[in-house]
Every structure is written in C-alpha cells, then in structure tokens.
Amino acid sequence: MSEPKLTKNQAFLAMYSFLDEYYQLTKSDDVGGLLGSMSILSDGHVADPAIQEDWDEAIEKVISGKVNAELQIEIT
C-alpha cells in the first residue's frame, strides 16, 4: 500500500482538523487563537495571511528534509 499524497491545501486542512480535535478536548486558548487565524474565509483565503506564509515555509522545510520531529529532552 502506498503513502497517500496530499496537496498543500489538503495538508493544511488535515492540520486544521487535527488542531480542532485537540481544541475540542482541551479548550486551549492558544490553540483556539491559532484556529481562528487559520480559518478559511468565504474568499478562500486564511483569516491571517501571515499563517499562509508560515504554512508555505513549513511545507518547504518538510520537502527539503529540514524538519526533525525526534523527541529531544534535555535534562539539567
């Protein structure tokens, strides 16, 4: 079975859905604020244009292999 391929917009919606589920569980103000900024308006753009720029940069980091999601805990 091959990996599913998502467009940038589908990946954005997947992250939105993930965060929305997390918000429903936690009612975190920070996550709620982020979701508000990520919300898609009737014209098809996100509520906060800077979020789109940040998303595009994140996509480029993933594509270029510059994301390290390995757990890193420093004990002091």
Side-chain angles (χ1 to χ4, degrees):
M1 180 183 234
S2 64
E3 292 277 331
K5 303 225 186 273
L6 301 175
T7 66
K8 273 192 334 185
N9 288 338
Q10 288 172 322
F12 184 88
L13 292 174
M15 178 54 73
Y16 186 95
S17 176
F18 175 84
L19 291 172
D20 186 47
E21 289 290 325
Y22 185 80
Y23 175 75
Q24 297 306 320
L25 291 172
T26 66
K27 303 299 185 204
S28 164
D29 288 340
D30 290 336
V31 175
L34 181 58
L35 284 168
S37 296
M38 292 175 67
S39 294
I40 299 177
L41 304 175
S42 60
D43 65 2
H45 294 93
V46 294
D48 181 354
I51 290 288
Q52 187 65 54
E53 292 173 22
D54 293 343
W55 182 253
D56 291 342
E57 289 175 15
I59 293 288
E60 289 304 316
K61 285 170 79 173
V62 169
I63 290 170
S64 64
K66 295 180 181 174
V67 175
N68 179 1
E70 185 176 310
L71 179 62
Q72 299 175 15
I73 299 174
E74 291 185 32
I75 299 174
T76 56

